[in-house]
């Protein structure tokens, strides 16, 4: 394992918080306050980067005209249309200037209270601190699909990707620089974060309920992300296609 990196004192460190937003106007003010309150106890500087992923519900106006206006630590990126969660996240990561970077959702499912635990682990020398999500509040079918996906991914992936760990977590600057230098186009952030290595640890967190009942990532979007994860971190799907091709060839040639 890598040697722990020497950290600057927290008072001299900046933490970037990356928050992709697609139509979350109802909770943005509360979210901002809770994130700032939680990190205030650490004494570090913060920059909060919202990525407005083509919202149409007034999120853009609230972010620009009120939240960023009232607090200079808040920055807002506006994407030209709705690109999707992973793309919005990547745009935010590319603009982060902090010594450590926290990635979280804007729908209140990722508890701001956990941020101090991430920072504490980072101070202990870990470069990646990921949230292990417990007590998910989604319905039975969605929870079962998540369970099946994480088990399948662990079974076939050539990189060890922790179970039940999504985007929520902290990465150090060195990890971010590595992820950005990869130039991946079809991204599964949680997988890339594992792949780069460094010192990694998990913190168990309770996955809260969404503030409304309308997930912004569609079911098809989740399936597409699962496909990206499985194809990017395993050669099993390709092996399966080779096997099908070989069997087809055998069957075909036995009839000719
Ligand atoms: N999101 C986004 N662009 C999209 C869909 C979602 O920026 O096209 C944001 C959304 O506002 C939230 C986060 O990505 O902050 C996760 O979305 P969601 O809660 O729908 O995902 P889930 O928790 O169901 O995985
Ligand atoms: Mg959510």
């Amino acid at each position: 394992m890598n040697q722990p990196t020497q950290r600057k004192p927290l008072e001299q460190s900046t933490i970037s918080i990356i928050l992709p937003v697609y139509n979350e106007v109802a909770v943005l003010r509360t979210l901002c306050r809770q994130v700032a309150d939680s990190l205030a106890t650490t004494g570090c500087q913060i920059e909060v980067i919202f990525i407005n992923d083509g919202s149409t519900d007034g999120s853009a106006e609230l972010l620009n005209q009120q939240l960023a206006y009232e607090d200079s630590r808040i920055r807002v990126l506006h994407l030209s249309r709705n690109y999707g969660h992973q793309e919005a996240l990547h745009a935010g990561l590319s603009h982060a200037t902090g010594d450590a970077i926290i990635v979280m959702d804007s729908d209140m499912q990722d508890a701001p209270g956990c941020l101090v635990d991430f920072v504490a682990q980072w101070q202990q020398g870990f470069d990646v601190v990921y949230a292990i999500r417990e007590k998910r509040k989604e319905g039975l079918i969605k929870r079962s699909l998540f369970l099946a996906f994480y088990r399948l991914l662990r079974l076939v992936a050539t990189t060890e990707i922790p179970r039940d760990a999504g985007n929520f977590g902290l990465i150090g600057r060195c990890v971010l620089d590595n992820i950005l230098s990869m130039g991946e186009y079809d991204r599964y952030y949680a997988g890339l974060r594992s792949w780069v290595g460094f010192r990694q640890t998990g913190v168990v967190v309770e996955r809260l309920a969404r503030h409304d009942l309308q997930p912004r990532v569609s079911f098809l979007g989740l399936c597409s992300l699962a496909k990206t994860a499985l194809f990017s971190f395993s050669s099993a799907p390709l092996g399966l296609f080779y096997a099908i091709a070989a069997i087809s060839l055998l069957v075909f040639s036995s009839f000719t």
Side-chain angles (χ1 to χ4, degrees):
M1 188 178 280
N2 298 310
Q3 290 305 306
T5 320
Q6 269 295 317
R7 304 278 181 234
K8 288 193 277 189
L10 271 177
E11 295 69 32
Q12 294 167 26
S13 304
T14 301
I15 311 256
S16 307
I17 304 97
I18 308 296
L19 294 149
V21 175
Y22 183 47
N23 294 339
E24 310 282 11
V25 69
V27 288
L28 293 178
R29 184 173 284 282
T30 311
L31 178 66
C32 266
R33 199 189 54 244
Q34 291 190 7
V35 165
D37 287 354
S38 172
L39 288 171
T41 57
T42 65
C44 58
Q45 312 294 315
I46 61 167
E47 70 170 359
V48 181
I49 304 182
F50 283 102
I51 308 93
N52 167 35
D53 187 18
S55 298
T56 52
D57 69 341
S59 294
E61 293 74 14
L62 176 68
L63 289 168
N64 263 10
Q65 293 161 20
Q66 297 187 39
L67 301 180
Y69 184 74
E70 292 160 11
D71 187 338
S72 59
R73 299 172 301 177
I74 296 176
R75 297 168 59 197
V76 190
L77 295 176
H78 296 280
L79 304 191
S80 55
R81 63 170 173 83
N82 177 240
Y83 279 88
H85 184 191
Q86 294 289 313
E87 287 73 13
L89 171 56
H90 186 74
L93 290 173
S94 326
H95 285 78
T97 63
D99 302 294
I101 298 90
I102 289 173
V103 169
M104 62 191 292
D105 290 350
S106 307
D107 59 354
M108 304 300 284
Q109 280 200 270
D110 295 332
C114 302
L115 305 188
V116 280
D117 302 329
F118 297 165
V119 174
Q121 292 295 325
W122 176 60
Q123 280 295 293
Q124 295 295 313
F126 289 100
D127 304 298
V128 173
V129 188
Y130 53 83
I132 303 166
R133 294 155 163 189
E134 268 201 344
K135 300 186 189 154
R136 282 178 170 274
K137 307 294 184 299
E138 287 94 354
L140 184 65
I141 296 179
K142 203 167 175 183
R143 266 186 293 139
S144 310
L145 289 172
F146 277 128
L147 193 84
F149 163 71
Y150 282 118
R151 296 275 158 323
L152 179 63
L153 186 62
R154 270 181 80 79
L155 194 69
V156 299
T158 45
T159 301
E160 188 162 337
I161 301 174
R163 208 170 52 192
D164 300 320
N167 295 340
F168 191 29
L170 176 151
I171 56 175
R173 168 54 54 185
C174 51
V175 176
L176 176 63
D177 289 343
N178 269 267
I179 290 176
L180 293 179
S181 71
M182 276 187 230
E184 281 284 310
Y185 175 71
D186 204 8
R187 302 178 200 90
Y188 174 59
Y189 170 74
L192 297 176
R193 186 183 59 194
S194 297
W195 189 82
V196 294
F198 297 96
R199 288 169 54 87
Q200 309 217 356
T201 189
V203 171
V204 175
V205 307
E206 184 176 349
R207 178 81 161 150
L208 304 177
R210 206 176 204 293
H211 69 93
D212 60 16
L213 295 175
Q214 191 57 54
R216 306 304 189 258
V217 178
S218 64
F219 181 68
L220 273 183
L222 286 178
C223 291
S224 165
L225 187 62
K227 183 216 74 183
T228 299
L230 291 168
F231 276 75
S232 305
F233 293 97
S234 165
S235 54
L238 199 60
L240 186 68
F241 290 131
Y242 279 141
I244 292 170
I247 292 167
S248 309
L249 195 67
L250 277 177
V251 171
F252 181 73
S253 45
S254 68
F255 282 111
T256 54

